[in-house]
Each structure stands twice: as C-alpha cells, then as structure tokens.
Amino acid sequence: MTSDLRGILPVLPTPFAADGGIDGAGMARLVRFAVEKGVDGVVFPGFASEVETLKGDERAALLKIVVDEVGGRVPVVAGASAADWREVVDHGRAAAALGIRHLMVQPPKSVGVDAPALIEFLGHVLDALPGVEIILQNAPAPRGSDLSPEAIIEVVKALPRVAYVKEETLPAGPAISHIIANAPSTLKGVIGGGGARYILDEYARGATAAMPALEIIEEHVAMDRAWSAGRRDEARAIYVRTLPLLVLQAVYRMRLTKHVLKRRGVIEHTGVRAPTPALDAPAIADIDSNLAELGLLVAEAA
C-alpha cells in the first residue's frame, strides 16, 4: 500500500474554557504539543473531540486554528461525518477551503450496512468534492454501524477515492486482515482506532497508521517507530507499559484525556460537554499513578 497517511495520527480533543466556550489558545497549544511530540498527522474533529457538541462556528474556528498551527508540517484529517450527505459535503468544502484533502466519514446508521446504499451515500459526497480522499470510518455499535469487511471491500472497489479505512469494530483484527487481503490497489491504507488499545495486533495485520487520543502521544510515537524499525520487543514493552492507562481511558474517555493534558501543562481546564463518567478521587489517583510510572508525571508526596 502506498499510504500518504502513516504512523500516529491523534484525534485532538476540544479544549473548553472555564465558561464552557471553546478555548482557542488551548487548541493551539494542543496542536503544538502534538507536533513537538513527533506525530505524523492530526485529526479534528472526531468522536474524541466531542464533535456532536460543537456548534458550526465553533467547529470552523477550531479547525482553522488546527490548520494554521500545523502550518503544513503534517497532514490534517478533517472529520466530516453527518446524518445527510449534503451536510458531509458542507463540512468537506469548509475543510477543502483550508487546504485539507483527507476527510474522515462514518456513514450514518440511517444508511444501513448494505454496500449499494453506502456507495450511493459516499458517491454523492465524492461527486461534490473533487480532489479529496475519504477515510471510511467503521466504528462499532452503538455509535457506529459495524459494517462487514465484505461490504467495505465492495465500497472501496466501487469508489477509488475511498482511499483509507479506519477499522475499529470489535475485534478489529480479523476485519483488517480481510480488508487488506481483498483490497483493490486504490486502497492506500487501513488505520486502527480503539484508542491504540489493539495497535500491535493491527500493525501485525498490516495497518499503516493508528488514531489514538493525545494524552500519552509520545509513547505511541515511540511504539510506532520501534515497530517500523523492526524492534518488535521494544514496541511490545512500550505497549504493555501503556495498557493500564489505556484501559482507564476506555472508561473515562475525554475526561481522562483532558485531566492528563492539564496535569502535563498543556491545557488549563478539563471541562467536557459530552456525557462522560466523572473522575472521583480514587480514579484520579489511579490515573496519576500510571502517569508517574510512565515517567510523564512526578508522583506527588502523600
């Protein structure tokens, strides 16, 4: 596969200010943090960005900050999922106006799981947006549609500009293997999701990239580099070291991400809009202990 998108492509969280509005300065710091840690690209907005809670003007302002702060150093992938293909096109045009050519789209559940309907939906988008490539996001239920790998293969064969698949159904591994074994030459890569909790299995099956959250991104970058260089034992050691925190991240989601990023001095506030389990004192102590073990936080005295 000749992928333009390789390596670690974190989904950026949305920082909110103390009054609940968006924090533009915090967004710029997040992008700088990501690029300084060696990421291969950034993604915004996505599920981990609390995209459903963002107003149109907020979304547009934040995406412009991302593009401006990246400054062409790494690719930017814009999330463009919506309930109607026309709305996907609107998101895509806004992204294209900023110079973005990779759109991540999860077809809405209303389209169903059959290939002809998926091809029709995505075909409308591609007809309206010449020059862009789509990353077909296949998220698990209840948020996603749990598309079969067979349906995905039909889609990518019918629509060559569906150039990537982000496969994050559970288990993702067998689906990744099937897609890669049966993909047309136009498919440039399969990208892993699931918060990098399964990243080495995904890489072993041929995935070219991963889209984790941002809070321990240098660990994911180091793991990717070790794997790519053939240092598989080193990559596994990093992977095992990250798992306790990633297990907690699966539960607390963006609350954990923002807590960690605040503890690391990247953002000022940890507010979220999306319904997410609250962090109580024992959970915070557990998270901070894991950060200390990773060497990313100095343990506080008891």
Side-chain angles (χ1 to χ4, degrees), residues 58-284:
E58 294 175 327
R59 179 174 180 154
L62 290 167
L63 186 59
K64 186 176 188 306
I65 290 170
V66 171
V67 171
D68 288 347
E69 197 64 41
V70 164
R73 290 175 288 177
V74 296
V76 176
V77 175
S81 301
D84 184 272
W85 68 264
R86 297 167 188 83
E87 190 176 352
V88 176
V89 169
D90 288 342
H91 292 322
R93 285 178 175 150
L98 295 171
I100 298 170
R101 66 185 188 89
H102 295 106
L103 302 180
M104 186 162 68
V105 179
Q106 176 180 277
K109 297 177 79 170
S110 60
V111 170
V113 298
D114 294 330
L118 296 166
I119 291 166
E120 180 181 8
F121 182 91
L122 294 171
H124 286 311
V125 173
L126 289 167
D127 287 344
L129 296 172
V132 307
E133 292 182 340
I134 283 181
I135 302 163
L136 172 58
Q137 183 175 12
N138 186 25
R143 197 160 201 169
S145 299
D146 268 328
L147 303 177
S148 71
E150 292 80 10
I152 289 173
I153 289 296
E154 287 190 55
V155 171
V156 297
K157 285 182 175 179
L159 302 171
R161 282 195 289 133
V162 178
Y164 299 87
V165 174
K166 183 187 181 188
E167 179 56 65
E168 49 189 341
T169 52
L170 297 174
I176 289 172
S177 292
H178 182 93
I179 292 166
I180 290 174
N182 295 279
S185 61
T186 52
L187 187 69
K188 294 183 177 181
V190 178
I191 299 169
R197 284 177 285 277
Y198 318 104
I199 184 171
L200 292 192
D201 178 54
E202 293 163 352
Y203 276 12
R205 293 171 182 269
T208 58
M211 291 184 179
L214 187 62
E215 64 272 4
I216 55 169
I217 200 63
E218 61 265 62
E219 296 289 319
H220 298 310
V221 169
M223 190 190 314
D224 173 86
R225 302 304 186 263
W227 182 272
S228 297
R231 302 191 305 272
R232 303 300 166 85
D233 289 345
E234 179 184 340
R236 181 158 295 279
I238 298 170
Y239 174 66
V240 170
R241 194 167 71 240
T242 65
L243 280 178
L245 192 65
L246 295 184
V247 168
L248 292 171
Q249 202 271 347
V251 176
Y252 296 106
R253 306 292 293 175
M254 59 284 297
R255 283 194 192 274
L256 181 146
T257 295
K258 292 181 180 182
H259 169 79
V260 172
L261 290 168
K262 183 182 179 185
R263 295 287 274 126
R264 301 191 67 188
V266 185
I267 58 173
E268 296 179 356
H269 304 286
T270 60
V272 300
R273 292 180 182 175
T276 314
L279 293 172
D280 61 8
I284 289 171

